[in-house]
Amino acid sequence: MKPAPFEYRRADTREEALSLLAEHGEDAEILAGGQSLMPLLAMRLARPAMVIDINRIGGLAGVTEIEDGISVGALTRHREVARDALVARDAPVLAKAVPHIAHHGIRNRGTIGGALSLGDPAAEFPACAVAAGARLVLASAAGTRRIAAADYYLAPFETARGPEDLLVAAEFPADGRGAAVVEAAPRAGDYAIVGLVALARPSGARLRDVELVYFAAGERPNPAPAAAAILAAADDARAALAEAAEAARREVETIATPSASAAVRRHLVGALLGRAVAALFEGARP
Amino acid sequence: MILTEPVAPVTIETTVNGETVRAVVSPRQSLADFLRDDLGLTGTRIGCEHGVCGTCTVVFDGRTARSCLLLAVQADGATIETIEGATRSGRLASLQAAFRARSALQCGFCTAGVLLTAAEVIEEGVSDPTALRHALSGNLCRCTGYQAIVEAIAKVAAGTPHD
């Protein structure tokens, strides 16, 4: 499988990338880690006239402190996200997600900006960003805007990013809650059939401030607020699991794909909730 | 807009196995094809060409990566080590000896990618067999000889390659 011909441009500065996108955005794809783009090119599912390589742009990689938390640069590779001290402090859910993302060599190259901007419904980071209330920072020649992750994902591979926009960072408000990322996949590193990002503060038998966002179940990150509310209201979260799982099965959209029927996904939506709750309590142990 | 005209080639300068290489490549050429077809480094295998099988793994700027998911043009200014270079440097010697002792290869198609991944994972301090299996989940062996592969790697990771 070989990609169709395209013109290659390497942007060495952010300004250069934005001006290329302003001129060619409609016909261009952005090359960051390339771990999703390159297969799309090879299979000719994407056929851009131009590929804009942003890997050499300075200042787009790494994690910095901002007023209410951290800003994770778009070119930060998955392996760095997993090892970063600021991520561990303010957005530990990201580090929990990394072992689930593809394979060792792919985590060496893949970037958080690519994973967030692509809008793959089976991807872990978009669900983390929605659960954690992250803001995605989109830059274009016209200026910079921020959009809540919850408003960014419109449909599979369709996002609020315009053709002239470059996702430059994701801002995560400091979140001291415990985090769990669980998923059902045929094999370690495969695409999830269903996955769940859960944030909560375990306290005795209770879970407070619960946030649940499913991924791979439906067409985009799928919050489960009713199930979260049932868990958060219970004196014993584990005793409320059956009721919460039932609520999640009702409120989470489940799709049928060649790898799993909607019924299998509905079953997994409930089953994964139990695993996530167990992991949250496990993580809270001294 | 779909390009139908040929695209102008690009000149790159890259370091492969310690040697500086200047070459002219097509923008759509993968690094895997460049290494094999232009440089004759056929130890790098091409399996699936879309990032699933791991046979084309090389070391790119110090970290393993699938060379089918990199463009040859991206090698400009980069440092690459293939199985040929890693063998010559002796970096893989204990793994290769363990593979030989344990017969941890059958057709050998996946071996280069497995060795380079295993060397990096061991250098990162992973030694638990389950963790090793996870780390190697991105390298497919279609002979399905995983048991021997994991055993050989686990022995080197545990520092007892000759047991």
Side-chain angles (χ1 to χ4, degrees), chain A residues 1-3 6 8 10 27 35 38 44 49 56 79 103-104 108 187-188, chain B residues 1 3 28 33 48-50 63-64 69 74 76 120 124 137-138 140:
Chain A
M1 283 185 293
K2 314 291 181 194
F6 54 77
Y8 170 87
R10 190 172 84 200
D27 290 321
Q35 304 300 288
M38 288 292 294
R44 303 200 179 191
R56 306 286 173 93
R79 69 168 280 124
H103 307 289
H104 180 85
N108 283 344
R187 195 175 57 113
Chain B
M1 190 179 76
L3 288 186
R28 66 170 168 154
D33 281 340
C48 71
E49 289 195 294
H50 65 292
R63 298 265 172 235
T64 57
L69 298 187
Q74 289 183 275
D76 186 38
E120 180 169 272
E124 286 175 1
S137 65
L140 300 184

PDB file of all heavy atoms in Angstrom, chain A residues 1-3 6 8 10 27 35 38 44 49 56 79 103-104 108 187-188, chain B residues 1 3 28 33 48-50 63-64 69 74 76 120 124 137-138 140:
ATOM      1  N   MET A   1       0.839  -1.202   0.000  1.00  0.00           N
ATOM      2  CA  MET A   1       0.000   0.000   0.000  1.00  0.00           C
ATOM      3  C   MET A   1       0.866   1.241   0.000  1.00  0.00           C
ATOM      4  O   MET A   1       1.688   1.416   0.891  1.00  0.00           O
ATOM      5  CB  MET A   1      -0.868   0.005   1.256  1.00  0.00           C
ATOM      6  CG  MET A   1      -2.025  -0.943   1.148  1.00  0.00           C
ATOM      7  SD  MET A   1      -3.086  -0.785   2.578  1.00  0.00           S
ATOM      8  CE  MET A   1      -2.000  -1.415   3.841  1.00  0.00           C
ATOM      9  N   LYS A   2       0.712   2.059  -1.016  1.00  0.00           N
ATOM     10  CA  LYS A   2       1.517   3.272  -1.113  1.00  0.00           C
ATOM     11  C   LYS A   2       0.581   4.472  -1.181  1.00  0.00           C
ATOM     12  O   LYS A   2      -0.440   4.417  -1.881  1.00  0.00           O
ATOM     13  CB  LYS A   2       2.399   3.262  -2.362  1.00  0.00           C
ATOM     14  CG  LYS A   2       3.152   1.966  -2.612  1.00  0.00           C
ATOM     15  CD  LYS A   2       4.239   1.723  -1.583  1.00  0.00           C
ATOM     16  CE  LYS A   2       4.980   0.428  -1.880  1.00  0.00           C
ATOM     17  NZ  LYS A   2       5.806  -0.024  -0.759  1.00  0.00           N
ATOM     18  N   PRO A   3       0.942   5.556  -0.507  1.00  0.00           N
ATOM     19  CA  PRO A   3       0.104   6.762  -0.599  1.00  0.00           C
ATOM     20  C   PRO A   3       0.091   7.312  -2.023  1.00  0.00           C
ATOM     21  O   PRO A   3       1.035   7.097  -2.792  1.00  0.00           O
ATOM     22  CB  PRO A   3       0.805   7.756   0.340  1.00  0.00           C
ATOM     23  CG  PRO A   3       1.727   6.949   1.177  1.00  0.00           C
ATOM     24  CD  PRO A   3       2.088   5.740   0.379  1.00  0.00           C
ATOM     25  N   PHE A   6       1.667  13.473  -3.065  1.00  0.00           N
ATOM     26  CA  PHE A   6       1.320  14.741  -2.394  1.00  0.00           C
ATOM     27  C   PHE A   6       2.574  15.585  -2.327  1.00  0.00           C
ATOM     28  O   PHE A   6       3.696  15.081  -2.416  1.00  0.00           O
ATOM     29  CB  PHE A   6       0.749  14.491  -0.996  1.00  0.00           C
ATOM     30  CG  PHE A   6       1.627  13.641  -0.104  1.00  0.00           C
ATOM     31  CD1 PHE A   6       2.753  14.168   0.521  1.00  0.00           C
ATOM     32  CD2 PHE A   6       1.325  12.293   0.096  1.00  0.00           C
ATOM     33  CE1 PHE A   6       3.559  13.374   1.337  1.00  0.00           C
ATOM     34  CE2 PHE A   6       2.128  11.486   0.900  1.00  0.00           C
ATOM     35  CZ  PHE A   6       3.248  12.026   1.516  1.00  0.00           C
ATOM     36  N   TYR A   8       5.058  17.821  -0.118  1.00  0.00           N
ATOM     37  CA  TYR A   8       5.464  17.806   1.289  1.00  0.00           C
ATOM     38  C   TYR A   8       6.041  19.160   1.667  1.00  0.00           C
ATOM     39  O   TYR A   8       6.912  19.675   0.975  1.00  0.00           O
ATOM     40  CB  TYR A   8       6.515  16.718   1.498  1.00  0.00           C
ATOM     41  CG  TYR A   8       7.209  16.745   2.848  1.00  0.00           C
ATOM     42  CD1 TYR A   8       6.665  16.094   3.942  1.00  0.00           C
ATOM     43  CD2 TYR A   8       8.431  17.415   3.013  1.00  0.00           C
ATOM     44  CE1 TYR A   8       7.313  16.107   5.170  1.00  0.00           C
ATOM     45  CE2 TYR A   8       9.076  17.426   4.236  1.00  0.00           C
ATOM     46  CZ  TYR A   8       8.516  16.770   5.316  1.00  0.00           C
ATOM     47  OH  TYR A   8       9.152  16.779   6.524  1.00  0.00           O
ATOM     48  N   ARG A  10       7.594  21.191   5.102  1.00  0.00           N
ATOM     49  CA  ARG A  10       7.939  21.151   6.523  1.00  0.00           C
ATOM     50  C   ARG A  10       7.868  22.566   7.072  1.00  0.00           C
ATOM     51  O   ARG A  10       8.578  23.447   6.607  1.00  0.00           O
ATOM     52  CB  ARG A  10       9.337  20.578   6.717  1.00  0.00           C
ATOM     53  CG  ARG A  10       9.636  20.292   8.175  1.00  0.00           C
ATOM     54  CD  ARG A  10      10.939  19.556   8.338  1.00  0.00           C
ATOM     55  NE  ARG A  10      12.057  20.487   8.352  1.00  0.00           N
ATOM     56  CZ  ARG A  10      13.323  20.128   8.103  1.00  0.00           C
ATOM     57  NH1 ARG A  10      13.600  18.881   7.796  1.00  0.00           N
ATOM     58  NH2 ARG A  10      14.277  21.018   8.155  1.00  0.00           N
ATOM     59  N   ASP A  27      -6.926  21.493   1.258  1.00  0.00           N
ATOM     60  CA  ASP A  27      -6.338  20.366   0.527  1.00  0.00           C
ATOM     61  C   ASP A  27      -5.170  19.740   1.264  1.00  0.00           C
ATOM     62  O   ASP A  27      -4.411  18.961   0.673  1.00  0.00           O
ATOM     63  CB  ASP A  27      -5.832  20.840  -0.849  1.00  0.00           C
ATOM     64  CG  ASP A  27      -6.973  21.190  -1.784  1.00  0.00           C
ATOM     65  OD1 ASP A  27      -7.979  20.463  -1.756  1.00  0.00           O
ATOM     66  OD2 ASP A  27      -6.860  22.199  -2.499  1.00  0.00           O
ATOM     67  N   GLN A  35       0.912   8.531  13.229  1.00  0.00           N
ATOM     68  CA  GLN A  35       0.536   7.147  13.512  1.00  0.00           C
ATOM     69  C   GLN A  35      -0.894   6.819  13.089  1.00  0.00           C
ATOM     70  O   GLN A  35      -1.266   5.655  12.964  1.00  0.00           O
ATOM     71  CB  GLN A  35       0.764   6.828  14.995  1.00  0.00           C
ATOM     72  CG  GLN A  35       2.203   7.091  15.447  1.00  0.00           C
ATOM     73  CD  GLN A  35       3.221   6.271  14.673  1.00  0.00           C
ATOM     74  OE1 GLN A  35       3.330   5.062  14.858  1.00  0.00           O
ATOM     75  NE2 GLN A  35       3.964   6.909  13.770  1.00  0.00           N
ATOM     76  N   MET A  38      -0.539   8.348   8.558  1.00  0.00           N
ATOM     77  CA  MET A  38       0.182   7.539   7.567  1.00  0.00           C
ATOM     78  C   MET A  38      -0.625   6.317   7.113  1.00  0.00           C
ATOM     79  O   MET A  38      -0.671   6.030   5.914  1.00  0.00           O
ATOM     80  CB  MET A  38       1.555   7.136   8.097  1.00  0.00           C
ATOM     81  CG  MET A  38       2.548   8.297   8.168  1.00  0.00           C
ATOM     82  SD  MET A  38       3.041   8.928   6.543  1.00  0.00           S
ATOM     83  CE  MET A  38       3.922   7.500   5.915  1.00  0.00           C
ATOM     84  N   ARG A  44      -5.202   5.156   1.277  1.00  0.00           N
ATOM     85  CA  ARG A  44      -5.815   6.180   0.418  1.00  0.00           C
ATOM     86  C   ARG A  44      -7.201   6.570   0.887  1.00  0.00           C
ATOM     87  O   ARG A  44      -8.064   6.960   0.093  1.00  0.00           O
ATOM     88  CB  ARG A  44      -5.800   5.742  -1.051  1.00  0.00           C
ATOM     89  CG  ARG A  44      -4.368   5.454  -1.490  1.00  0.00           C
ATOM     90  CD  ARG A  44      -4.164   5.475  -2.982  1.00  0.00           C
ATOM     91  NE  ARG A  44      -2.747   5.221  -3.283  1.00  0.00           N
ATOM     92  CZ  ARG A  44      -2.200   5.372  -4.469  1.00  0.00           C
ATOM     93  NH1 ARG A  44      -2.925   5.772  -5.492  1.00  0.00           N
ATOM     94  NH2 ARG A  44      -0.921   5.134  -4.644  1.00  0.00           N
ATOM     95  N   ALA A  49      -3.562  16.994  -1.212  1.00  0.00           N
ATOM     96  CA  ALA A  49      -2.598  17.492  -2.193  1.00  0.00           C
ATOM     97  C   ALA A  49      -1.299  17.872  -1.501  1.00  0.00           C
ATOM     98  O   ALA A  49      -0.241  17.894  -2.118  1.00  0.00           O
ATOM     99  CB  ALA A  49      -3.177  18.700  -2.928  1.00  0.00           C
ATOM    100  N   ARG A  56       8.994  19.720  13.495  1.00  0.00           N
ATOM    101  CA  ARG A  56      10.177  20.494  13.881  1.00  0.00           C
ATOM    102  C   ARG A  56       9.828  21.845  14.507  1.00  0.00           C
ATOM    103  O   ARG A  56      10.717  22.648  14.776  1.00  0.00           O
ATOM    104  CB  ARG A  56      11.076  20.738  12.658  1.00  0.00           C
ATOM    105  CG  ARG A  56      11.476  19.496  11.890  1.00  0.00           C
ATOM    106  CD  ARG A  56      12.516  18.662  12.626  1.00  0.00           C
ATOM    107  NE  ARG A  56      12.751  17.405  11.920  1.00  0.00           N
ATOM    108  CZ  ARG A  56      13.719  17.233  11.014  1.00  0.00           C
ATOM    109  NH1 ARG A  56      14.536  18.206  10.712  1.00  0.00           N
ATOM    110  NH2 ARG A  56      13.855  16.052  10.420  1.00  0.00           N
ATOM    111  N   ARG A  79       4.511   8.689  25.023  1.00  0.00           N
ATOM    112  CA  ARG A  79       5.423   8.171  26.053  1.00  0.00           C
ATOM    113  C   ARG A  79       5.820   9.282  27.029  1.00  0.00           C
ATOM    114  O   ARG A  79       6.057   9.025  28.198  1.00  0.00           O
ATOM    115  CB  ARG A  79       6.668   7.508  25.453  1.00  0.00           C
ATOM    116  CG  ARG A  79       7.640   8.423  24.769  1.00  0.00           C
ATOM    117  CD  ARG A  79       8.978   7.736  24.463  1.00  0.00           C
ATOM    118  NE  ARG A  79       9.848   7.674  25.611  1.00  0.00           N
ATOM    119  CZ  ARG A  79      10.368   6.552  26.109  1.00  0.00           C
ATOM    120  NH1 ARG A  79      10.108   5.401  25.552  1.00  0.00           N
ATOM    121  NH2 ARG A  79      11.158   6.591  27.138  1.00  0.00           N
ATOM    122  N   HIS A 103       0.596   0.523  20.588  1.00  0.00           N
ATOM    123  CA  HIS A 103       1.739  -0.283  20.991  1.00  0.00           C
ATOM    124  C   HIS A 103       2.937   0.590  21.302  1.00  0.00           C
ATOM    125  O   HIS A 103       2.979   1.764  20.951  1.00  0.00           O
ATOM    126  CB  HIS A 103       2.082  -1.275  19.888  1.00  0.00           C
ATOM    127  CG  HIS A 103       0.917  -2.111  19.457  1.00  0.00           C
ATOM    128  ND1 HIS A 103       0.395  -3.103  20.268  1.00  0.00           N
ATOM    129  CD2 HIS A 103       0.143  -2.078  18.358  1.00  0.00           C
ATOM    130  CE1 HIS A 103      -0.638  -3.660  19.658  1.00  0.00           C
ATOM    131  NE2 HIS A 103      -0.822  -3.054  18.501  1.00  0.00           N
ATOM    132  N   HIS A 104       3.959  -0.056  21.892  1.00  0.00           N
ATOM    133  CA  HIS A 104       5.165   0.621  22.345  1.00  0.00           C
ATOM    134  C   HIS A 104       5.738   1.597  21.297  1.00  0.00           C
ATOM    135  O   HIS A 104       5.892   2.789  21.571  1.00  0.00           O
ATOM    136  CB  HIS A 104       6.198  -0.455  22.714  1.00  0.00           C
ATOM    137  CG  HIS A 104       7.491   0.084  23.194  1.00  0.00           C
ATOM    138  ND1 HIS A 104       7.705   0.440  24.505  1.00  0.00           N
ATOM    139  CD2 HIS A 104       8.634   0.382  22.530  1.00  0.00           C
ATOM    140  CE1 HIS A 104       8.934   0.911  24.632  1.00  0.00           C
ATOM    141  NE2 HIS A 104       9.513   0.874  23.457  1.00  0.00           N
ATOM    142  N   ASN A 108       5.809   5.862  21.069  1.00  0.00           N
ATOM    143  CA  ASN A 108       7.022   6.668  20.933  1.00  0.00           C
ATOM    144  C   ASN A 108       6.827   7.839  19.977  1.00  0.00           C
ATOM    145  O   ASN A 108       7.475   8.868  20.104  1.00  0.00           O
ATOM    146  CB  ASN A 108       8.181   5.817  20.389  1.00  0.00           C
ATOM    147  CG  ASN A 108       8.798   4.927  21.446  1.00  0.00           C
ATOM    148  OD1 ASN A 108       8.588   5.126  22.631  1.00  0.00           O
ATOM    149  ND2 ASN A 108       9.577   3.948  21.003  1.00  0.00           N
ATOM    150  N   ARG A 187      -7.208  -7.505  22.062  1.00  0.00           N
ATOM    151  CA  ARG A 187      -5.801  -7.801  22.310  1.00  0.00           C
ATOM    152  C   ARG A 187      -5.194  -6.515  22.861  1.00  0.00           C
ATOM    153  O   ARG A 187      -5.645  -5.422  22.499  1.00  0.00           O
ATOM    154  CB  ARG A 187      -5.156  -8.131  20.956  1.00  0.00           C
ATOM    155  CG  ARG A 187      -3.804  -8.795  20.966  1.00  0.00           C
ATOM    156  CD  ARG A 187      -3.414  -9.146  19.520  1.00  0.00           C
ATOM    157  NE  ARG A 187      -3.429  -7.940  18.708  1.00  0.00           N
ATOM    158  CZ  ARG A 187      -2.347  -7.380  18.171  1.00  0.00           C
ATOM    159  NH1 ARG A 187      -1.170  -7.910  18.321  1.00  0.00           N
ATOM    160  NH2 ARG A 187      -2.449  -6.285  17.450  1.00  0.00           N
ATOM    161  N   ALA A 188      -4.165  -6.613  23.710  1.00  0.00           N
ATOM    162  CA  ALA A 188      -3.515  -5.404  24.215  1.00  0.00           C
ATOM    163  C   ALA A 188      -3.116  -4.513  23.050  1.00  0.00           C
ATOM    164  O   ALA A 188      -2.458  -4.964  22.122  1.00  0.00           O
ATOM    165  CB  ALA A 188      -2.284  -5.778  25.037  1.00  0.00           C
TER     166      ALA A 188
ATOM    167  N   MET B   1      -8.920  18.670  -4.030  1.00  0.00           N
ATOM    168  CA  MET B   1      -8.018  18.594  -5.180  1.00  0.00           C
ATOM    169  C   MET B   1      -7.141  17.353  -5.057  1.00  0.00           C
ATOM    170  O   MET B   1      -6.542  17.117  -4.024  1.00  0.00           O
ATOM    171  CB  MET B   1      -7.139  19.850  -5.219  1.00  0.00           C
ATOM    172  CG  MET B   1      -6.345  19.985  -6.481  1.00  0.00           C
ATOM    173  SD  MET B   1      -5.340  21.492  -6.479  1.00  0.00           S
ATOM    174  CE  MET B   1      -4.012  21.066  -5.382  1.00  0.00           C
ATOM    175  N   LEU B   3      -3.882  15.349  -6.622  1.00  0.00           N
ATOM    176  CA  LEU B   3      -2.717  15.547  -7.476  1.00  0.00           C
ATOM    177  C   LEU B   3      -2.607  14.404  -8.472  1.00  0.00           C
ATOM    178  O   LEU B   3      -2.669  13.241  -8.102  1.00  0.00           O
ATOM    179  CB  LEU B   3      -1.437  15.592  -6.644  1.00  0.00           C
ATOM    180  CG  LEU B   3      -1.193  16.826  -5.798  1.00  0.00           C
ATOM    181  CD1 LEU B   3       0.191  16.729  -5.167  1.00  0.00           C
ATOM    182  CD2 LEU B   3      -1.306  18.105  -6.609  1.00  0.00           C
ATOM    183  N   ARG B  28       6.169  10.948  -1.112  1.00  0.00           N
ATOM    184  CA  ARG B  28       5.274   9.897  -0.605  1.00  0.00           C
ATOM    185  C   ARG B  28       6.002   8.602  -0.270  1.00  0.00           C
ATOM    186  O   ARG B  28       5.380   7.629   0.151  1.00  0.00           O
ATOM    187  CB  ARG B  28       4.166   9.610  -1.618  1.00  0.00           C
ATOM    188  CG  ARG B  28       4.657   9.017  -2.916  1.00  0.00           C
ATOM    189  CD  ARG B  28       3.468   8.550  -3.712  1.00  0.00           C
ATOM    190  NE  ARG B  28       3.815   8.212  -5.087  1.00  0.00           N
ATOM    191  CZ  ARG B  28       3.118   7.350  -5.802  1.00  0.00           C
ATOM    192  NH1 ARG B  28       2.080   6.758  -5.288  1.00  0.00           N
ATOM    193  NH2 ARG B  28       3.469   7.093  -7.042  1.00  0.00           N
ATOM    194  N   ASP B  33      10.592   1.879   2.682  1.00  0.00           N
ATOM    195  CA  ASP B  33      10.965   1.670   1.282  1.00  0.00           C
ATOM    196  C   ASP B  33      12.328   2.293   0.977  1.00  0.00           C
ATOM    197  O   ASP B  33      13.117   1.733   0.213  1.00  0.00           O
ATOM    198  CB  ASP B  33       9.899   2.261   0.350  1.00  0.00           C
ATOM    199  CG  ASP B  33       8.684   1.358   0.220  1.00  0.00           C
ATOM    200  OD1 ASP B  33       8.809   0.150   0.518  1.00  0.00           O
ATOM    201  OD2 ASP B  33       7.609   1.853  -0.163  1.00  0.00           O
ATOM    202  N   CYS B  48       2.829  -5.154   6.841  1.00  0.00           N
ATOM    203  CA  CYS B  48       1.464  -4.687   6.561  1.00  0.00           C
ATOM    204  C   CYS B  48       1.416  -3.313   5.905  1.00  0.00           C
ATOM    205  O   CYS B  48       0.411  -2.955   5.316  1.00  0.00           O
ATOM    206  CB  CYS B  48       0.669  -4.638   7.863  1.00  0.00           C
ATOM    207  SG  CYS B  48       1.197  -3.311   8.970  1.00  0.00           S
ATOM    208  N   GLU B  49       2.474  -2.541   6.055  1.00  0.00           N
ATOM    209  CA  GLU B  49       2.529  -1.172   5.517  1.00  0.00           C
ATOM    210  C   GLU B  49       1.442  -0.253   6.062  1.00  0.00           C
ATOM    211  O   GLU B  49       1.120   0.754   5.437  1.00  0.00           O
ATOM    212  CB  GLU B  49       2.471  -1.172   3.980  1.00  0.00           C
ATOM    213  CG  GLU B  49       3.730  -1.703   3.331  1.00  0.00           C
ATOM    214  CD  GLU B  49       3.788  -1.347   1.867  1.00  0.00           C
ATOM    215  OE1 GLU B  49       2.940  -1.856   1.121  1.00  0.00           O
ATOM    216  OE2 GLU B  49       4.677  -0.574   1.482  1.00  0.00           O
ATOM    217  N   HIS B  50       0.870  -0.556   7.208  1.00  0.00           N
ATOM    218  CA  HIS B  50       0.017   0.449   7.834  1.00  0.00           C
ATOM    219  C   HIS B  50       0.088   0.413   9.361  1.00  0.00           C
ATOM    220  O   HIS B  50      -0.855   0.777  10.045  1.00  0.00           O
ATOM    221  CB  HIS B  50      -1.410   0.444   7.308  1.00  0.00           C
ATOM    222  CG  HIS B  50      -2.198  -0.811   7.611  1.00  0.00           C
ATOM    223  ND1 HIS B  50      -1.899  -2.027   7.056  1.00  0.00           N
ATOM    224  CD2 HIS B  50      -3.270  -1.012   8.403  1.00  0.00           C
ATOM    225  CE1 HIS B  50      -2.769  -2.923   7.495  1.00  0.00           C
ATOM    226  NE2 HIS B  50      -3.598  -2.333   8.323  1.00  0.00           N
ATOM    227  N   ARG B  63      14.532   6.429  19.362  1.00  0.00           N
ATOM    228  CA  ARG B  63      13.395   5.638  19.839  1.00  0.00           C
ATOM    229  C   ARG B  63      12.876   4.740  18.728  1.00  0.00           C
ATOM    230  O   ARG B  63      12.859   5.146  17.558  1.00  0.00           O
ATOM    231  CB  ARG B  63      12.249   6.558  20.272  1.00  0.00           C
ATOM    232  CG  ARG B  63      12.578   7.473  21.401  1.00  0.00           C
ATOM    233  CD  ARG B  63      12.157   6.873  22.732  1.00  0.00           C
ATOM    234  NE  ARG B  63      12.660   7.684  23.821  1.00  0.00           N
ATOM    235  CZ  ARG B  63      13.416   7.224  24.817  1.00  0.00           C
ATOM    236  NH1 ARG B  63      13.727   5.949  24.873  1.00  0.00           N
ATOM    237  NH2 ARG B  63      13.833   8.026  25.762  1.00  0.00           N
ATOM    238  N   THR B  64      12.398   3.564  19.100  1.00  0.00           N
ATOM    239  CA  THR B  64      11.844   2.678  18.075  1.00  0.00           C
ATOM    240  C   THR B  64      10.596   3.297  17.452  1.00  0.00           C
ATOM    241  O   THR B  64       9.815   3.957  18.129  1.00  0.00           O
ATOM    242  CB  THR B  64      11.471   1.303  18.639  1.00  0.00           C
ATOM    243  OG1 THR B  64      10.551   1.481  19.714  1.00  0.00           O
ATOM    244  CG2 THR B  64      12.694   0.544  19.117  1.00  0.00           C
ATOM    245  N   LEU B  69       5.473   4.053   8.900  1.00  0.00           N
ATOM    246  CA  LEU B  69       4.649   5.199   9.318  1.00  0.00           C
ATOM    247  C   LEU B  69       5.479   6.476   9.385  1.00  0.00           C
ATOM    248  O   LEU B  69       5.094   7.451  10.026  1.00  0.00           O
ATOM    249  CB  LEU B  69       3.981   4.931  10.675  1.00  0.00           C
ATOM    250  CG  LEU B  69       3.000   3.756  10.729  1.00  0.00           C
ATOM    251  CD1 LEU B  69       2.284   3.708  12.077  1.00  0.00           C
ATOM    252  CD2 LEU B  69       1.964   3.856   9.608  1.00  0.00           C
ATOM    253  N   GLN B  74      11.068  12.748   6.140  1.00  0.00           N
ATOM    254  CA  GLN B  74      11.188  13.065   7.563  1.00  0.00           C
ATOM    255  C   GLN B  74      12.544  12.658   8.128  1.00  0.00           C
ATOM    256  O   GLN B  74      12.912  13.070   9.219  1.00  0.00           O
ATOM    257  CB  GLN B  74      10.083  12.362   8.370  1.00  0.00           C
ATOM    258  CG  GLN B  74       8.706  12.930   8.156  1.00  0.00           C
ATOM    259  CD  GLN B  74       7.696  12.220   9.036  1.00  0.00           C
ATOM    260  OE1 GLN B  74       7.174  11.183   8.677  1.00  0.00           O
ATOM    261  NE2 GLN B  74       7.442  12.773  10.206  1.00  0.00           N
ATOM    262  N   ASP B  76      15.253  13.587   6.978  1.00  0.00           N
ATOM    263  CA  ASP B  76      16.199  14.696   6.794  1.00  0.00           C
ATOM    264  C   ASP B  76      16.620  15.228   8.176  1.00  0.00           C
ATOM    265  O   ASP B  76      15.773  15.631   8.974  1.00  0.00           O
ATOM    266  CB  ASP B  76      15.528  15.806   5.982  1.00  0.00           C
ATOM    267  CG  ASP B  76      16.510  16.913   5.639  1.00  0.00           C
ATOM    268  OD1 ASP B  76      17.677  16.610   5.349  1.00  0.00           O
ATOM    269  OD2 ASP B  76      16.099  18.094   5.681  1.00  0.00           O
ATOM    270  N   GLU B 120      15.011  -1.974  23.396  1.00  0.00           N
ATOM    271  CA  GLU B 120      14.586  -0.704  24.001  1.00  0.00           C
ATOM    272  C   GLU B 120      13.815  -0.930  25.297  1.00  0.00           C
ATOM    273  O   GLU B 120      14.017  -0.233  26.293  1.00  0.00           O
ATOM    274  CB  GLU B 120      13.724   0.076  23.000  1.00  0.00           C
ATOM    275  CG  GLU B 120      13.226   1.405  23.533  1.00  0.00           C
ATOM    276  CD  GLU B 120      12.601   2.250  22.432  1.00  0.00           C
ATOM    277  OE1 GLU B 120      13.351   2.996  21.791  1.00  0.00           O
ATOM    278  OE2 GLU B 120      11.371   2.152  22.212  1.00  0.00           O
ATOM    279  N   GLU B 124      14.754   0.146  29.145  1.00  0.00           N
ATOM    280  CA  GLU B 124      13.862   0.945  29.994  1.00  0.00           C
ATOM    281  C   GLU B 124      13.585   0.260  31.330  1.00  0.00           C
ATOM    282  O   GLU B 124      12.846   0.789  32.154  1.00  0.00           O
ATOM    283  CB  GLU B 124      12.532   1.209  29.260  1.00  0.00           C
ATOM    284  CG  GLU B 124      12.676   2.239  28.157  1.00  0.00           C
ATOM    285  CD  GLU B 124      11.396   2.421  27.356  1.00  0.00           C
ATOM    286  OE1 GLU B 124      10.381   1.762  27.668  1.00  0.00           O
ATOM    287  OE2 GLU B 124      11.428   3.210  26.401  1.00  0.00           O
ATOM    288  N   SER B 137       3.394  -6.485  22.216  1.00  0.00           N
ATOM    289  CA  SER B 137       2.111  -6.778  21.560  1.00  0.00           C
ATOM    290  C   SER B 137       2.013  -6.127  20.185  1.00  0.00           C
ATOM    291  O   SER B 137       1.176  -6.507  19.376  1.00  0.00           O
ATOM    292  CB  SER B 137       0.942  -6.330  22.440  1.00  0.00           C
ATOM    293  OG  SER B 137       0.954  -4.920  22.579  1.00  0.00           O
ATOM    294  N   GLY B 138       2.880  -5.153  19.921  1.00  0.00           N
ATOM    295  CA  GLY B 138       2.845  -4.495  18.618  1.00  0.00           C
ATOM    296  C   GLY B 138       3.770  -5.125  17.592  1.00  0.00           C
ATOM    297  O   GLY B 138       4.007  -4.546  16.538  1.00  0.00           O
ATOM    298  N   LEU B 140       4.006  -8.555  15.549  1.00  0.00           N
ATOM    299  CA  LEU B 140       3.328  -9.820  15.253  1.00  0.00           C
ATOM    300  C   LEU B 140       4.307 -10.856  14.709  1.00  0.00           C
ATOM    301  O   LEU B 140       5.158 -10.548  13.885  1.00  0.00           O
ATOM    302  CB  LEU B 140       2.218  -9.591  14.226  1.00  0.00           C
ATOM    303  CG  LEU B 140       1.123  -8.613  14.634  1.00  0.00           C
ATOM    304  CD1 LEU B 140       0.042  -8.571  13.557  1.00  0.00           C
ATOM    305  CD2 LEU B 140       0.518  -8.985  15.969  1.00  0.00           C
TER     306      LEU B 140
END
